[in-house]
Amino acid sequence: MHVPDGFINAPVSAAAGVVAAGAVAVSLRGARRELDERTAPLAGLVAAFIFAVQMLNFPVAAGTSGHLLGGALAAILVGPCTGVLCVSVVLLMQGVLFADGGLTALGVNITDMAITTTVVAYLVFRGLVKVLPRKRRSITVASFVAALLSVPAAAVVFTLIYAIGGTTDVSIGKVATAMVGVHVLIGIGEAVITALTVGAVVAVRPDLVYGARGLHRPLKLRVAGELVDAPDTAPAPVAARGSHRKVWITGLVTSLVLAGFVSFYASADPDGLEKVAHDKGIDKKTEKHSSDGSPLAGYGVKDVGDARLSGGLAGVIGVGVTVVAGSGIFWVLRRRRTADTSPSQITETV
């Protein structure tokens, strides 16, 4: 659902940029509250993983493919504010380095793919977690539903933006029907990928999943024939106290394999937005991307003749750049939080 330059006029693109900038600013402050010793090391990895999986287009209908948007996955794993930043980092890397998603449309893409998906998914997820049994399986189920709904929600938001600032005269009703219809199908793929990923992390390290905080039930003791909560004096689980290095390395290797090797076998069909844009005539005024001359434009390395090698190298470079950029941002935010809560910043009262 990467919107290229030319789909949306300049005033609306600028307005979307203001909305996106404001949301990113709010998310930067919110992420400082979400990031801790458990989630901070993983936030950059989550961004890199989303970048890698977005390269894996899967078929959803005749001549149409889809790919992960990632807002639901990021929000559940590392928190909604951090999730907005994760997807925004991915979109920035894709736009600047790979000519995927217009630079003048960056605000539109962040508003649609980062903010909308993350907010909708996390609201749905938290609502479901409150009513479902407090079990790990409930986290997976809630992740599936949240991710499923987040994708057509993004399609609706794009349609609304296009209704206000579209550059071609196309029936909005037809655009809405086509966009929502195909993105419901894409949402199923999003839901499967999100649920499998969240379920895998919850099964191994539930303490690393932001959305699973507070999942455990307090230990019960029978006193005088009644069950009461036991004192919370038990030591933290060994896994929670242990190093995150194994999980981080496993995630990074998985991302590199997906982007560097598996992506070669991804569907070559246009994604949902591209297909709808071509069929309905939305793409008549598409502009050439500002980064079209980039050495990595089109997810291939310039002057490398072998398609498999070119795409694989581009994917590996993309994962590397994204994990470095993301980790740097979240490391700084984590340091800022630590500085703000240091003893010198706390006034003691006697």
Side-chain angles (χ1 to χ4, degrees), residues 54-135:
Q54 283 196 3
M55 294 183 67
L56 309 180
N57 281 49
F58 48 84
V60 296
T64 309
S65 69
H67 62 71
L68 182 81
L69 298 186
L73 179 63
I76 295 165
L77 287 179
V78 292
C81 292
T82 309
V84 169
L85 298 179
C86 285
V87 181
S88 297
V89 168
V90 173
L91 293 172
L92 181 62
M93 295 299 104
Q94 291 170 333
V96 173
L97 298 179
F98 298 92
D100 188 10
L103 295 183
T104 62
L106 182 60
V108 173
N109 284 320
I110 290 177
T111 299
D112 195 29
M113 295 178 64
I115 301 169
T116 300
T117 58
T118 301
V119 171
V120 170
Y122 197 71
L123 289 176
V124 172
F125 175 81
R126 293 311 307 175
L128 289 174
V129 167
K130 288 181 179 180
V131 299
L132 292 173
R134 296 170 62 84
K135 297 180 180 179

Side-chain angles (χ1 to χ4, degrees), residues 155-241:
V156 170
V157 170
F158 168 78
T159 303
L160 293 175
I161 294 174
Y162 191 82
I164 299 172
T167 56
T168 55
D169 186 15
V170 179
S171 169
I172 299 304
K174 292 181 179 179
V175 173
T177 301
M179 283 292 292
V180 173
V182 72
H183 284 92
V184 166
L185 299 177
I186 295 173
I188 296 173
E190 177 103 10
V192 171
I193 295 171
T194 300
L196 288 176
T197 304
V198 172
V201 179
V202 167
V204 178
R205 292 291 301 272
D207 59 299
L208 297 182
V209 179
Y210 183 89
R213 292 180 178 181
L215 180 63
H216 68 280
R217 293 177 178 270
L219 180 65
K220 297 287 186 179
L221 296 177
R222 187 175 295 278
V223 178
E226 296 183 0
L227 290 177
V228 298
D229 291 344
D232 189 15
T233 57
V238 174
R241 299 197 308 265

Side-chain angles (χ1 to χ4, degrees), residues 232-316:
D232 189 15
T233 57
V238 174
R241 299 197 308 265
S243 171
H244 302 155
R245 184 176 301 174
K246 184 176 181 180
V247 174
W248 199 91
I249 292 175
T250 300
L252 180 60
V253 170
T254 301
S255 300
L256 291 171
V257 171
L258 292 175
F261 177 73
V262 181
S263 62
F264 181 79
Y265 301 97
S267 173
D269 290 331
D271 65 23
L273 176 59
E274 291 176 316
K275 179 66 173 175
V276 172
H278 178 73
D279 291 347
K280 304 301 179 184
I282 295 176
D283 59 355
K284 292 179 181 179
K285 295 187 178 180
T286 302
E287 299 175 2
K288 184 177 180 180
H289 199 287
S290 303
S291 300
D292 194 51
S294 166
L296 300 174
Y299 295 94
V301 178
K302 189 177 181 180
D303 298 331
V304 175
D306 185 272
R308 186 191 299 268
L309 179 60
S310 177
L313 286 174
V316 169

